[in-house]
């Protein structure tokens, strides 16, 4: 039987429909490969760039306990970035190529990290809302069709849930504190609520890739379904804190069994995606500076590796000669 491209594609889809995982050396349609390279690398970039807004507060955390928690969280995010770069590399792109795409602005990362962290309460709001939104997305991805991506997500999700809890605990501390502390928490919620909802991407009707992604089980739920799930989970948590969601249209809809909510400012969303958010330039500069300043480390590591391989070679030659 000849394996023309049509047969291969049919077999591939049958494997996905049967719930099998696709592994790096398996045959896959070029578009599936490319979509995954884009999605996994952009996810990796988000983890790495996401360290910046929070790293900003490590030296200013209000207590040793808070500092340790934040330090551990930011380190976790670095680890997430590294697993994900490795997963993307199995599809035939190099890490240097991915960094180049990030540094030249060709690759995107999650827009939420282009907002500034103005107060300590922002660290609470980010853990609670941003990591909370990330979990909703990533729990779905533990069952995605591409094996290395799905497996990386299992560990990442466990760590994300610690991040969400520590963020919520910061909010709880502030909300049970002084009037001023509670105001700080409310202000952080006001600024981070809408950008968190934007993390799920455009509405389904404006998201042309969703259908293909669902067919390939890259995504198992649509942007709007995930966003609704996040809102339904998060509103009661805000109530428990005694905070008010900055959305006058937010109310429980008995008939739907979900919260109704107001319209997202999609102009703002697209502006930030296009690079015009409050911190886009600052974030990119931090990454390109880190790359340039790290050049000597990469050079030293390469020189050492070369020296070691020469040494091994000459030992092998000696063994053969004796
Ligand atoms: Fe993460
Ligand atoms: Fe996280």
């Amino acid at each position: 039987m000849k394996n023309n491209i049509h047969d291969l594609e049919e077999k591939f889809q049958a494997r996905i429909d049967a719930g099998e995982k696709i592994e790096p050396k398996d045959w896959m349609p070029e578009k599936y490969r490319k979509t995954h390279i884009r999605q996994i690398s952009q996810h990796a970039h988000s983890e790495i760039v996401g360290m910046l807004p929070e790293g900003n507060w490590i030296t200013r955390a209000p207590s040793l306990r808070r500092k340790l928690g934040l330090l551990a969280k930011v380190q976790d995010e670095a680890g997430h970035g590294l697993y994900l770069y490795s997963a993307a590399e199995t599809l035939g792109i190099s890490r240097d190529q991915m960094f180049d795409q990030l540094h030249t602005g060709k690759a995107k990362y999650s827009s939420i990290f282009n907002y500034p962290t103005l107060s300590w309460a922002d660290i609470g709001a980010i853990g609670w809302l941003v990591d909370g939104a990330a979990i909703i997305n990533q729990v779905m991805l533990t069952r995605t069709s591409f094996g290395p991506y799905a497996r990386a997500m299992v560990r990442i999700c466990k760590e994300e849930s610690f991040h969400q809890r520590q963020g919520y605990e910061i909010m709880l501390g502030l909300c049970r504190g002084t009037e001023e502390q509670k105001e700080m928490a409310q202000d952080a919620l006001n600024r981070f609520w809408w950008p968190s909802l934007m993390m799920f991407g455009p509405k389904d009707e404006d998201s042309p890739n969703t259908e293909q992604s669902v067919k390939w089980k890259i995504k198992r739920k649509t942007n709007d379904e995930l966003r609704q799930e996040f809102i339904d989970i998060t509103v009661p948590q805000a109530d428990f804190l005694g905070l008010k969601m900055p959305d006058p249209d937010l109310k429980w809809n008995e008939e739907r069994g979900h919260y109704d909510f107001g319209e997202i400012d999609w102009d703002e969303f697209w502006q930030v995606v296009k690079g015009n958010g409050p911190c886009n330039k600052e974030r990119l500069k931090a990454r390109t500076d880190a790359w340039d300043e790290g050049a000597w480390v990469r050079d030293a590591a390469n020189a050492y590796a070369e020296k070691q391989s020469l040494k091994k070679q000459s030992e092998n030659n000696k063994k053969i000669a004796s």
Side-chain angles (χ1 to χ4, degrees), residues 198-259:
M198 294 177 198
M199 284 175 70
F200 297 95
K203 283 190 187 174
D204 292 348
E205 65 215 54
D206 301 319
S207 177
N209 295 326
T210 295
E211 203 187 325
Q212 180 63 270
S213 295
V214 169
K215 193 170 165 222
W216 278 338
K217 295 188 183 165
I218 296 172
K219 279 182 94 125
R220 287 169 177 263
K221 290 175 188 171
T222 69
N223 295 354
D224 287 336
E225 285 168 345
L226 293 165
R227 187 167 13 245
Q228 183 73 60
E229 204 176 301
F230 173 70
I231 291 170
D232 291 348
I233 290 175
T234 311
V235 173
Q237 296 173 346
D239 291 344
F240 185 76
L241 292 174
L243 295 178
K244 208 176 155 335
M245 287 296 193
D247 178 359
D249 296 321
L250 187 83
K251 61 172 181 304
W252 179 253
N253 182 327
E254 194 65 57
E255 216 171 289
R256 288 202 312 126
H258 294 292
Y259 282 93

Side-chain angles (χ1 to χ4, degrees), residues 47 77 80 156 160:
E47 300 284 355
E77 306 299 6
H80 299 172
I156 289 178
E160 294 303 355

Side-chain angles (χ1 to χ4, degrees), residues 130-154:
V130 176
D131 291 85
I135 292 170
I136 303 263
N137 247 316
Q138 292 173 1
V139 164
M140 168 186 76
L141 289 171
T142 59
R143 296 184 299 129
T144 191
S145 60
F146 186 56
Y149 194 27
R151 289 188 291 271
M153 279 304 135
V154 173

